[in-house]
């Protein structure tokens, strides 16, 4: 699933293969404190206004210039989708 990371940094089953991202893409994720499994109840990418769902537990994030993100992830730019 998207939230499981292998030793190489890529997700097992994979929304985000960190090794395939450019250095600037990796840096952006790190600066935003992106994690593939949110530790904050109710604040996941799946309910963030910047997230667009795709296949399974994966989607795309506007903050990451449309790059992949896990529906269960979270970063410091998290913003609730409007009701």
């Amino acid at each position: 699933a998207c939230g499981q990371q292998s030793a190489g940094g890529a997700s097992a089953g994979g929304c985000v293969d960190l090794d395939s991202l450019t250095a600037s893409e990796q840096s952006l994720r790190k600066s935003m404190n992106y994690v593939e499994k949110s530790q904050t109840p109710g604040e996941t990418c799946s309910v963030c206004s910047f997230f667009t769902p795709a296949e399974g537990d994966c989607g795309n994030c506007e903050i990451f210039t449309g790059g992949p993100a896990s529906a269960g992830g979270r970063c410091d730019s998290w913003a609730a989708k409007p009701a």
Side-chain angles (χ1 to χ4, degrees):
C2 293
Q4 298 174 347
Q5 299 231 337
S6 69
S11 296
C15 287
V16 183
D17 179 356
L18 298 177
D19 294 333
S20 72
L21 300 175
T22 67
S24 67
E25 289 170 329
Q26 290 180 25
S27 177
L28 176 60
R29 287 168 189 271
K30 186 173 183 176
S31 72
M32 292 286 145
N33 294 307
Y34 173 76
V35 293
E36 288 200 37
K37 184 166 176 62
S38 176
Q39 299 299 309
T40 307
E43 293 187 8
T44 61
C45 293
S46 65
V47 292
C48 178
S49 62
F50 298 112
F51 183 79
T52 303
E55 293 182 32
D57 290 333
C58 302
N60 298 303
C61 176
E62 291 177 32
I63 297 295
F64 300 144
T65 60
S70 169
R74 186 188 184 285
C75 80
D76 289 345
S77 291
W78 184 88
K81 286 185 181 179

